[in-house]
Amino acid sequence: KGGGGSSAAGPSQEAEAPAEDVVAEEAEDEDEDEAAAAAEEAGLAAALEESARLQDEKRAAEERRAAEEQARGARPNAGEPSESAASPAPEEPPDDFICPITTEIMSDPVVAADGQSYERSAIERWLSTKSTSPLTSAELESKGLFPNHSLRRMIRLWQEQR
């Protein structure tokens, strides 16, 4: 009987040990999940801050352009509305022509690993200190830049037609 009783105690103790291991693993997983969530939240906060900064820069550039256009439009005939005031659409460049970093019209657009086009000098400056997308803060798979010839042609054509 003594041998049978001890063998029954053995398996029940063994069954408890893995259960304790599972609890410990679940606690570790929760800690890892919390750390990952905190890191993701910090990344998202940084992306939001960068996005807000870029939007502020873009808004300031648009205000400068509008003030310049208004100054040009006010010169010919002060009492009459200028042609640019009557039809501002042709004067405003399409959003795709504007570099999200500089908020200016691109002259040498390149495509980064995030699929976005940037002014070459601006994205090179960005990538010299970072390996993330300026728009999303996501890690870029590579720092390779590729000329966006189609976009460059469209920008030049738009500039010639103005």
Side-chain angles (χ1 to χ4, degrees):
K1 279 188 176 180
S6 66
S7 66
S12 68
Q13 288 175 351
E14 288 175 13
E16 287 176 22
E20 290 171 0
D21 289 346
V22 169
V23 170
E25 286 176 18
E26 287 175 355
E28 287 176 18
D29 288 346
E30 286 178 18
D31 290 344
E32 289 173 10
D33 289 346
E34 287 176 15
E40 183 178 356
E41 188 174 326
L44 290 172
L48 284 172
E49 288 175 17
E50 183 67 13
S51 177
R53 186 187 65 77
L54 290 173
Q55 286 177 344
D56 289 344
E57 287 179 5
K58 185 174 182 177
R59 192 174 309 117
E62 289 172 354
E63 288 171 1
R64 281 193 306 273
R65 275 191 228 117
E68 289 170 4
E69 285 181 25
Q70 187 176 12
R72 276 185 267 139
R75 288 185 193 132
N77 297 316
E80 298 176 22
S82 67
E83 288 179 18
S84 63
S87 58
E91 292 295 321
E92 274 301 306
D95 289 341
D96 291 340
F97 293 4
I98 305 296
C99 173
I101 298 173
T102 64
T103 67
E104 299 293 329
I105 297 174
M106 293 181 272
S107 60
D108 187 11
V110 293
V111 177
D114 63 356
Q116 297 295 321
S117 292
Y118 303 94
E119 178 63 33
R120 180 183 298 276
S121 60
I123 191 66
E124 285 176 344
R125 217 173 28 251
W126 176 274
L127 293 174
S128 70
T129 60
K130 300 171 182 73
S131 60
T132 58
S133 165
L135 293 179
T136 65
S137 296
E139 193 73 22
L140 294 174
E141 292 179 16
S142 92
K143 289 188 174 186
L145 301 173
F146 303 94
N148 193 336
H149 297 295
S150 298
L151 181 57
R152 181 183 298 149
R153 277 192 296 273
M154 292 184 339
I155 291 170
R156 287 184 181 162
L157 181 62
W158 177 83
Q159 288 173 327
E160 290 169 4
Q161 291 177 348
R162 287 187 0 175

